Amino acid sequence: MFSLIDFSAMAAASEKDPARWRRPFNSWLEGIETGWSIPLLLVLFVAIWTAYLIVAYLGAGLHPDVLETWTLGRHLAWGYPKHPPLMGWITRGWTAVFPLSDWSLQLMAMVNAAVALWAVDLISRRFVRGEKRAIVLLLAMLLPAYQFHAQRFNANAVLLASWPLATYCFLRAFEAPRQLGWAIAAGAACALAMLGKYYSIFLVASFVFAAVLHSDRRRYLQSASPWISALTGMLVLGPHLHWLATTGATTFDYALAHAGADHVAALWEVSYFIMGLIAALSIAAVTWVFIAGRRLARLPADFRAMNPGLRLLRLVAIGTILFPVIVSLAIGTDLPSLWAVQGLFMFIVLIVCGTSYPIERFYAVNLTVMVAGIAILAVAAGAPIHALYRHAYGYEEGRGFYHAVATELTARWHDAAGTPLVAVSGDDALAFAAAFYSPDHPFYARPFAYQYTWGLPRKTTLDRGWAALCFADQVDCLSWMARTTLRATDVFRSEFDAQATLLGRPGRTRRVVMLIVPPYRETAPMQPDVEDFSSSHRMRD
């Protein structure tokens, strides 16, 4: 093991006479409590990791999850068949202000991650000041959740911000149960997390678990605060609950599709879940070991001496791991560790804020340089290498062809129909991409409630004008396309080789099958539906 004595001597010497290169970092750390340092850190975080995404995915389209989220947001509703509506609402609001482009949605993803880190700082500042606040954020930035997981903005990524916000409001409500504003905020924030993904029920259950087991529970539970929070949460969730009751609760069907495994499989799921979370924390954990050194021996005593707020957070953190494990073992659900990474910030806050000793500025500066160095290296070297690798070997979902396919579809549609393309279907990834990248921005024409059943479009839908796309090696999609052809009056079926490009350099090709059904006559605006689909599930413009 490394020698703490050497590091301690270096830390002491640095405190007395810091090297010239350390002085700007020292000035930054001194600005934490005056209020400018943390915002600067978050702005730089957003800038550098957005730059990483732009460079790393040159020549490729957005991930299908992001395109699906944008597709959902085009049709504002109180719920969607696969997931609750928060991710669609956010994307709709963002694209109402920012342009419809790759960099815009990549920026949105990183802003979401920065909001998450800001909320984490709100929590840590309840317990520590100065360098420790910075260390909490810097260690969190070593988790893959806030860069690589965050880039795929979907129902999981939206929880990155909503979980720490809900946790902060709950801590404040428990701490001051007579301040009804925090009770209302806690209920609304919990509802917001539930509108992100139903997995957030484990966070809400953890709040109840922590409140019941905490030593100050009587003061909180005998106040009006928990009941006001519960009422507020139900009021905020009310429109979504009504939507569930009137549409058949299809989101539950999608969620329950992950259940039903046998107990042996569930045990493996739990094992992988725990190991995945440990792996996600590993870099931050090893870094903390070097910072704390032999002072790690104080950890048990520090945990016993935690103040009431940290003890409450500790119970919440335990619950967010314990409850998913119990449910998975009980009913045999899938349990990817990806579903829980948004709660890992709690363990970092507990470890850093629970220390009884100060952390020398020497370590804070070193950690800042380390995090900055990783980010700069990622942009300068990792991103170009990733772009070149993907250009050579491609993406499983075909992201390298999205731009070319959308361009080709739009051109052929205009040649065949002479009108803007209004509806597109087929392979989901290709259809989402065509809707996003085509200048006509057609609507995705398969109701989400029946996304995986390959239902056939009605004759009236085809008469309005419609197109479909499949990769040539997708047997199910091609079979569906052939059955659809029998319903259409006028059909143009063609194939072409889409080619990926990177800064003008040609890359891999993949065969694409295209079906064009031009408008048969002048009709009302497109309202895509599918045979045997009830009208309550039809998408509206």
Side-chain angles (χ1 to χ4, degrees):
M1 188 129 183
F2 60 88
S3 170
L4 179 64
I5 297 176
D6 292 340
F7 279 101
S8 298
M10 292 172 63
S14 180
E15 289 288 329
K16 292 179 180 179
D17 185 21
R20 180 172 298 179
W21 68 267
R22 288 181 175 271
R23 291 171 188 171
F25 296 101
N26 287 342
S27 298
W28 172 72
L29 290 168
E30 289 168 0
I32 290 175
E33 295 307 319
T34 57
W36 64 269
S37 294
I38 297 301
L40 177 61
L41 174 65
L42 296 181
V43 168
L44 292 174
F45 170 85
V46 170
I48 197 164
W49 285 106
T50 301
Y52 170 85
L53 295 179
I54 291 171
V55 175
Y57 293 97
L58 279 173
L62 294 167
H63 191 277
D65 283 2
V66 182
L67 297 174
E68 181 181 37
T69 300
W70 169 77
T71 300
L72 288 170
R74 300 181 77 182
H75 166 57
L76 287 177
W78 288 112
Y80 301 110
K82 286 176 63 176
H83 291 298
L86 183 60
M87 62 179 183
W89 292 352
I90 292 174
T91 309
R92 174 63 175 268
W94 183 271
T95 54
V97 177
F98 291 89
L100 206 60
S101 63
D102 287 2
W103 71 261
S104 171
L105 294 190
Q106 289 162 342
L107 176 63
M108 179 186 72
M110 289 300 102
V111 168
N112 175 64
V115 171
L117 293 168
W118 168 76
V120 171
D121 182 61
L122 287 179
I123 295 171
S124 63
R125 74 170 67 175
R126 302 295 301 168
F127 310 112
V128 293
R129 293 287 181 269
E131 284 82 355
K132 286 187 178 180
R133 279 179 59 191
I135 288 172
V136 167
L137 289 186
L138 292 167
L139 288 176
M141 289 178 182
L142 293 177
L143 303 180
Y146 297 100
Q147 302 88 7
F148 306 110
H149 168 55
Q151 66 171 296
R152 189 184 299 182
F153 188 80
N154 55 18
N156 294 313
V158 78
L159 301 185
L160 286 174
S162 59
W163 271 41
L165 283 171
T167 302
Y168 174 71
C169 292
F170 170 70
L171 292 176
R172 296 300 302 270
F174 189 93
E175 176 187 275
R178 293 185 179 181
Q179 296 182 15
L180 300 186
W182 285 116
I184 294 171
C190 287
L192 193 69
M194 289 294 295
L195 289 172
K197 190 176 182 181
Y198 296 148
Y199 187 89
S200 297
I201 191 63
F202 295 126
L203 179 66
V204 177
S206 298
F207 291 161
V208 176
F209 171 77
V212 170
L213 293 186
H214 197 273
S215 57
D216 291 340
R217 58 185 174 272
R218 181 170 297 181
R219 180 174 59 89
Y220 176 69
L221 296 175
Q222 290 182 349
S223 73
S225 183
W227 314 111
I228 291 174
S229 293
L231 177 61
T232 302
M234 293 303 295
L235 288 175
V236 174
L237 282 175
H240 179 66
L241 296 175
H242 178 265
W243 179 88
L244 287 172
T246 56
T247 59
T250 52
T251 42
F252 288 155
D253 294 337
Y254 181 77
L256 290 174
H258 293 279
D262 59 64
H263 293 297
V264 174
L267 186 61
W268 279 111
E269 286 286 334
V270 167
S271 300
Y272 292 138
F273 175 75
I274 299 297
M275 288 189 291
L277 295 180
I278 292 173
L281 280 168
S282 59
I283 297 177
V286 170
T287 303
W288 177 252
V289 167
F290 276 89
I291 292 173
R294 292 178 183 173
R295 293 175 292 188
L296 283 174
R298 303 187 196 179
L299 185 62
D302 286 345
F303 262 54
R304 289 192 297 269
M306 279 182 174
N307 67 42
L310 286 175
R311 291 203 305 271
L312 183 66
L313 183 63
R314 184 174 64 195
L315 289 169
V316 174
I318 291 170
T320 59
I321 304 301
L322 179 64
F323 290 129
V325 166
I326 292 173
V327 170
S328 180
L329 292 175
I331 64 175
T333 62
D334 296 343
L335 195 60
S337 58
L338 187 67
W339 290 356
V341 294
Q342 68 276 356
L344 294 182
F345 74 90
M346 298 185 207
F347 297 94
I348 293 176
V349 172
L350 287 169
I351 291 294
V352 178
C353 299
T355 55
S356 58
Y357 47 87
I359 303 298
E360 295 83 358
R361 184 166 291 181
F362 170 82
Y363 296 106
V365 171
N366 288 354
L367 180 57
T368 304
V369 173
M370 174 184 171
V371 171
I374 291 173
I376 293 171
L377 186 63
V379 173
I385 291 172
H386 180 273
L388 290 170
Y389 176 84
R390 287 301 187 181
H391 182 63
Y393 295 100
Y395 299 82
E396 181 180 356
E397 61 272 16
R399 293 168 66 177
F401 309 107
Y402 288 172
H403 293 276
V405 170
T407 300
E408 187 69 19
L409 171 64
T410 304
R412 295 194 184 196
W413 173 270
H414 287 180
D415 288 343
T419 61
L421 176 61
V422 294
V424 65
S425 189
D427 170 68
D428 280 342
L430 284 176
F432 295 150
F436 186 86
Y437 292 111
S438 169
D440 292 343
H441 298 304
F443 277 80
Y444 173 76
R446 184 183 303 148
F448 277 89
Y450 306 95
Q451 191 176 3
Y452 304 115
T453 59
W454 293 106
L456 299 179
R458 292 181 187 270
K459 179 69 163 55
T460 53
T461 300
L462 296 175
D463 286 343
R464 296 185 185 105
W466 180 90
L469 295 162
C470 301
F471 284 116
D473 55 359
Q474 295 176 319
V475 176
D476 289 343
C477 186
L478 293 176
S479 174
W480 165 84
M481 186 178 280
R483 288 183 285 121
T484 301
T485 303
L486 301 177
R487 292 198 164 199
T489 303
D490 192 13
V491 179
F492 297 91
R493 186 185 186 279
S494 59
E495 299 185 18
F496 67 95
D497 290 322
Q499 186 168 54
T501 60
L502 176 63
L503 300 177
R505 293 179 55 188
R508 294 168 61 89
T509 61
R510 191 170 178 182
R511 194 76 172 169
V512 176
V513 180
M514 179 186 301
L515 194 67
I516 290 177
V517 182
Y520 181 67
R521 60 181 179 274
E522 289 289 329
T523 59
M526 186 276 295
Q527 293 182 2
D529 48 17
V530 178
E531 184 180 21
D532 298 327
F533 291 175
S534 65
S535 60
S536 63
H537 289 140
R538 295 175 190 163
M539 291 178 60
R540 305 286 179 186
D541 283 7

